[in-house]
Amino acid sequence: MSNKTYALIIAGGVGARMGTDIPKQFLSVFDRPVLSYTMEAFQKDENIDGIAIVSVEGWDHMIDAIAKQYKITKYVGNCLGGSTGQESIYNGLRFLKSHIDEGDIVLIHDAIRPLVSKTIIDDCIEVIKEHGNAVSVIPCNEVILENVEGSNTEADRTIPRSILKRTQTPQGASLKTLLEMHEKARKEGKSYIATADMLLGSGYKVHYSIGSEKNVKLTTQDDLDIMKALLEVSKNER
């Protein structure tokens, strides 16, 4: 029997950099919460078998309501996030452990990347099936400067773009692999920024899957404007 694939959407952030009163994953864009777009992207993909959410404290009922209103039938529930992104992911993995098999694939995705495409999701799944893990990436097209040691205002050299990739989400592996990494990190007291970082720190080679400039992460008000513009273009094309 083939393994199933689940999306673990991390909606545990408070969005301080956005400068809003509510978490940015619940901001309204064209009269819909951002999270509804993210959930719908995975709902529509036939290769996704279930969707779980890691929630900000006090917003769990809102997530249930969003799932109901937007007919997210693959929604299996939500759990409370932690004080860091790493803790939030670990809480989500433990939640999934009671619902899925350890060999099932888990795609960890930022709730604030609502425009993730079917192409990105499907390629991530295929790379995991072939190599054991996958991280969505895009090329680094900008010139990257390295600060002069001890300075944050001047540079003395560039870093070649050809050796760099910019990571996005989804990032994933089997539930077994992800849980083992997180439990080892907790035991050793190690902190990681993202799943890609933890994979490398755990001795794995990271395998690339397709990303996109359109897979924008909503960090600032400018990002919200970009999301609205991309939705308008998509609407006009349809």
Side-chain angles (χ1 to χ4, degrees):
M1 186 173 68
S2 61
N3 294 332
K4 294 183 177 180
T5 301
Y6 292 82
L8 179 61
I9 299 175
I10 309 303
V14 295
R17 282 175 291 179
M18 187 69 76
T20 58
D21 294 331
I22 66 171
K24 53 195 171 185
Q25 57 270 28
F26 299 105
L27 291 174
S28 181
V29 174
F30 296 140
D31 299 319
R32 289 183 55 174
V34 166
L35 181 59
S36 71
Y37 292 95
T38 314
M39 295 175 76
E40 190 172 73
F42 289 95
Q43 170 71 25
K44 288 181 174 179
D45 193 314
E46 73 279 2
N47 295 307
I48 297 296
D49 297 287
I51 300 167
I53 313 290
V54 177
S55 171
V56 179
E57 186 173 2
W59 290 84
D60 51 332
H61 296 304
M62 175 64 76
I63 294 172
D64 292 338
I66 290 170
K68 183 176 181 181
Q69 180 177 354
Y70 294 95
K71 298 179 174 57
I72 310 299
T73 58
K74 296 177 183 179
Y75 176 62
V76 298
N78 70 74
C79 67
L80 185 63
S83 59
T84 66
Q86 182 172 318
E87 285 186 13
S88 292
I89 292 171
Y90 181 60
N91 288 354
L93 294 171
R94 288 195 302 165
F95 172 78
L96 278 176
K97 187 178 180 181
S98 63
H99 292 80
I100 72 176
D101 296 332
E102 66 174 15
D104 289 339
I105 290 170
V106 178
L107 302 186
I108 299 166
H109 187 70
D110 299 323
I112 51 172
R113 288 191 188 273
L115 301 183
V116 61
S117 68
K118 176 174 170 55
T119 298
I120 292 172
I121 295 169
D122 290 351
D123 192 61
C124 193
I125 295 169
E126 287 306 310
V127 173
I128 293 169
K129 287 180 176 178
E130 185 174 353
H131 297 290
N133 68 67
V135 172
S136 304
V137 301
I138 56 175
C140 185
N141 296 319
E142 299 86 356
V143 173
I144 303 297
L145 301 176
E146 183 175 7
N147 292 342
V148 173
E149 187 174 355
S151 170
N152 199 35
T153 59
E154 57 181 343
D156 59 1
R157 72 185 187 102
T158 61
I159 300 174
R161 290 176 290 180
S162 60
I163 66 170
L164 300 174
K165 295 290 186 185
R166 293 161 55 197
T167 64
Q168 301 183 329
T169 62
Q171 302 179 11
S174 69
L175 176 64
K176 183 177 186 292
T177 296
L178 293 168
L179 272 174
E180 285 177 351
M181 287 196 309
H182 274 266
E183 286 163 357
K184 183 173 183 286
R186 288 171 67 84
K187 187 175 181 180
E188 296 174 352
K190 292 183 178 179
S191 298
Y192 295 98
I193 298 170
T195 299
D197 189 26
M198 184 177 284
L199 282 162
L200 291 171
S202 301
Y204 291 94
K205 287 184 178 179
V206 167
H207 297 274
Y208 298 150
S209 60
I210 294 169
S212 170
E213 293 282 0
K214 294 180 180 179
N215 187 21
V216 61
K217 185 177 183 180
L218 306 182
T219 304
T220 67
Q221 289 289 339
D222 287 347
D223 299 323
L224 274 176
D225 292 339
I226 293 169
M227 176 185 176
K228 291 173 184 176
L230 288 170
L231 287 171
E232 287 281 14
V233 169
S234 179
K235 180 182 176 182
N236 291 336
E237 286 176 348
R238 289 198 300 270

